[in-house]
């Protein structure tokens, strides 16, 4: 017979977002419990590139980012999460100038210094830049990358130290609904009776919502990354919006290149983690059109991950009208790791009935209620 227990807030998903929410609840004095179907940081988090940036074209997302960077820096001092801060240079042609300007303005709203470059100044900043179409660029020198797995496990350690409970290898199998609310959650040999449930299950989030009879417009989209021996010589990380590709240094030498290739969906439980030759060639051609150092580059490793894509490129964060004690915090379109500390802070407040530091209305699940098209946003976005 299942063991019956109760808690204030039950968090489903032990990745970067789930552990951040659980930490926030526990440190606010709430009785938190986290369920992870496998091990901490084992899902999409483990295959993320680990990059973070301060510039987003949506003010609220930029606010998440501004609250996240200090957490990365603090964890690096306290425990070590592989933090490097070479800066992040965002590049675009004329079509992207307005969004880049908005993203820079938003970062500056939170006291983050941003340097703006016109076309030739971009080439002066990055002499190996070979994309003549670039007309504008912005850079934040404190942006960088860390190890997402080390981050998630560090957050989980903080969760335990704050007195919360984590159950790994404990997949959720059922949500019991009574009078429009989640009454109980079945997971393994546990029957949990929470006041509030936070669905931070990433690409598995639609499956959790479906157990409550709620539709969630998130699709698992394959994304790809490769490593190369090409040295970046302390260059900043780079995102080319025109070519839908990013690259950064690797801490042991060489470089990492990544980006989505198509809107190809996959089963998160049984997707192909390998990268075909045509995708390798496409990714190599994209980055070589941006930076001359990657012309005829060799490839050392390659892998495929999944991002939780939404129709408008923005995450889904908030309670569901039909099931008000179910809060979803998922659908970050590849930005989950970089926003996770800020999201964790906001969602933990919401779950405990407090006011978050930022308005969550732009991310509400209700924004998709009357939308016919469920086409997913598959480019690297600034939202």
């Amino acid at each position: 017979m299942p063991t019956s227990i109760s808690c204030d807030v039950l968090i489903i998903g032990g990745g970067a977002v789930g552990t951040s929410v659980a930490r926030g609840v526990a440190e606010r004095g709430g009785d938190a419990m986290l369920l992870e179907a496998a091990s901490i940081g084992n899902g999409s988090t483990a295959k993320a590139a680990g990059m973070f940036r301060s510039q987003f074209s949506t003010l609220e997302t930029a606010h998440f980012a501004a609250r996240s960077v200090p957490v990365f820096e603090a964890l690096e001092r306290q425990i070590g999460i592989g933090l490097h801060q070479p800066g992040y240079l965002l590049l675009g042609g004329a079509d992207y100038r307005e969004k880049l300007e908005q993203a820079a303005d938003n970062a500056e709203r939170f006291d983050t210094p941003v340097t703006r470059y016109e076309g030739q100044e971009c080439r002066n900043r990055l002499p190996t830049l070979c994309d003549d179409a670039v007309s504008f660029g912005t850079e934040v020198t404190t942006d960088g990358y860390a190890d997402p797995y080390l981050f998630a496990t560090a957050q989980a350690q903080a969760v335990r130290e704050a007195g919360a409970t984590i159950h790994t290898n404990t997949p959720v199998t059922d949500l019991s609904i009574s009078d429009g609310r989640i009454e109980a959650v079945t997971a393994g040999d546990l029957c949990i009776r929470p006041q509030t449930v936070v669905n931070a299950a990433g690409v598995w989030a639609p499956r959790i919502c479906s157990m409550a009879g709620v539709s969630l417009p998130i699709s698992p989209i394959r994304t790809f990354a490769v490593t190369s021996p090409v040295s970046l010589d302390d260059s900043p990380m780079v995102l080319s919006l025109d070519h839908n590709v990013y690259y950064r240094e690797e801490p042991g030498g060489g470089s990492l290149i990544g980006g989505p290739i198509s809107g190809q969906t996959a089963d998160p439980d049984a997707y192909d983690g390998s990268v075909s030759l045509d995708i390798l060639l496409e990714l190599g051609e994209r980055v070589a059109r941006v930076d001359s150092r990657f012309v005829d580059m060799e490839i050392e490793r390659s892998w495929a991950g999944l991002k939780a894509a939404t129709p408008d490129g923005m995450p889904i964060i908030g309670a569901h009208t039909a099931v008000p004690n179910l809060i979803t915090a998922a659908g970050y379109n590849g930005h989950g790791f970089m926003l996770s500390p800020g999201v964790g802070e906001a969602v933990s407040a919401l779950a405990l009935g407090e006011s978050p530091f930022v308005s969550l209305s732009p991310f509400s699940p209700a924004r998709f209620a009357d939308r016919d098209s469920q086409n997913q946003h598959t480019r690297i976005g600034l939202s």
Side-chain angles (χ1 to χ4, degrees):
M1 187 171 179
T3 302
S4 182
I5 51 179
S6 61
C7 64
D8 293 335
V9 183
L10 176 67
I11 300 97
I12 301 172
V17 173
T19 54
S20 295
V21 174
R23 180 181 181 179
V25 172
E27 291 184 347
R28 288 172 180 271
D31 179 15
M33 181 179 296
L34 186 148
L35 300 179
E36 164 54 43
S39 58
I40 296 297
N42 183 65
S44 298
T45 294
K47 295 187 177 181
M51 301 163 72
F52 60 87
R53 56 178 160 89
S54 305
Q55 299 183 73
F56 288 87
S57 57
T58 302
L59 183 64
E60 292 81 2
T61 310
H63 204 168
F64 286 145
R67 301 293 270 253
S68 296
V69 175
V71 177
F72 295 135
E73 293 173 337
L75 284 174
E76 177 63 19
R77 292 191 299 269
Q78 294 162 7
I79 197 170
I81 57 170
L83 180 70
H84 297 262
Q85 292 174 286
Y88 205 165
L89 177 62
L90 312 186
L91 300 170
D95 290 345
Y96 286 103
R97 182 178 186 116
E98 184 178 350
K99 279 202 169 184
L100 284 168
E101 291 269 23
Q102 184 63 61
D105 289 346
N106 286 342
E108 290 173 333
R109 288 277 297 274
F110 303 108
D111 299 322
T112 300
V114 181
T115 303
R116 293 164 169 80
Y117 303 103
E118 298 297 336
Q120 185 55 50
E121 292 173 325
C122 293
R123 283 171 274 282
N124 294 340
R125 177 67 182 92
L126 189 65
T128 53
L129 181 65
C130 58
D131 183 3
D132 292 335
V134 169
S135 61
F136 192 66
T138 58
E139 181 181 10
V140 172
T141 59
T142 52
D143 287 348
Y145 63 96
D147 185 314
Y149 175 77
L150 291 179
F151 170 78
T153 54
Q155 291 288 72
Q157 178 178 321
V159 169
R160 295 186 178 99
E161 289 173 352
T165 304
I166 295 177
H167 294 277
T168 56
N169 300 304
T170 309
V172 172
T173 55
D174 185 56
L175 302 181
S176 298
I177 309 297
S178 178
D179 296 326
R181 295 176 61 85
I182 296 174
E183 182 180 57
V185 177
T186 303
D189 61 355
L190 299 175
C191 177
I192 306 151
R193 299 183 182 279
Q195 295 296 313
T196 302
V197 174
V198 175
N199 176 11
V203 292
W204 291 270
R207 188 176 304 171
I208 299 299
C209 275
S210 69
M211 295 180 189
V214 174
S215 176
L216 194 65
I218 289 176
S219 295
I221 302 293
R222 293 180 79 212
T223 61
F224 305 93
V226 301
T227 60
S228 165
V230 172
S231 174
L232 298 185
D233 300 321
D234 298 319
S235 294
M237 308 183 300
V238 174
L239 167 60
S240 169
L241 293 169
D242 291 292
H243 297 289
N244 205 27
V245 69
Y246 59 81
Y247 55 95
R248 65 161 172 82
E249 64 184 10
E250 280 278 74
S255 49
L256 180 149
I257 305 100
I261 300 297
S262 68
Q264 183 181 3
T265 60
D267 180 349
D269 291 323
Y271 77 96
D272 185 0
S274 64
V275 185
S276 61
L277 179 59
D278 61 330
I279 290 173
L280 291 176
L281 291 173
E282 170 69 17
L283 202 54
E285 289 172 2
R286 285 188 192 182
V287 73
R289 289 196 291 267
V290 178
D291 193 316
S292 62
R293 289 173 291 188
F294 293 103
V295 174
D296 299 324
M297 72 173 183
E298 296 178 5
I299 292 175
E300 295 177 326
R301 296 185 297 120
S302 64
W303 65 94
L306 294 177
K307 74 171 185 175
T310 62
D312 59 4
M314 292 175 60
I316 298 174
I317 305 172
H320 294 269
T321 303
V323 187
N325 69 333
L326 172 61
I327 297 171
T328 285
Y332 300 95
N333 298 276
H335 301 149
F337 166 74
M338 66 177 73
L339 300 176
S340 56
V343 169
E345 183 184 350
V347 172
S348 62
L350 179 67
L352 290 172
E354 302 172 10
S355 297
F357 66 86
V358 62
S359 171
L360 298 178
S361 58
F363 313 111
S364 170
R367 73 186 190 271
F368 297 113
D370 299 321
R371 187 177 280 215
D372 294 328
S373 173
Q374 297 299 309
N375 292 330
Q376 304 303 305
H377 184 92
T378 58
R379 292 187 65 85
I380 301 171
L382 291 181
S383 300

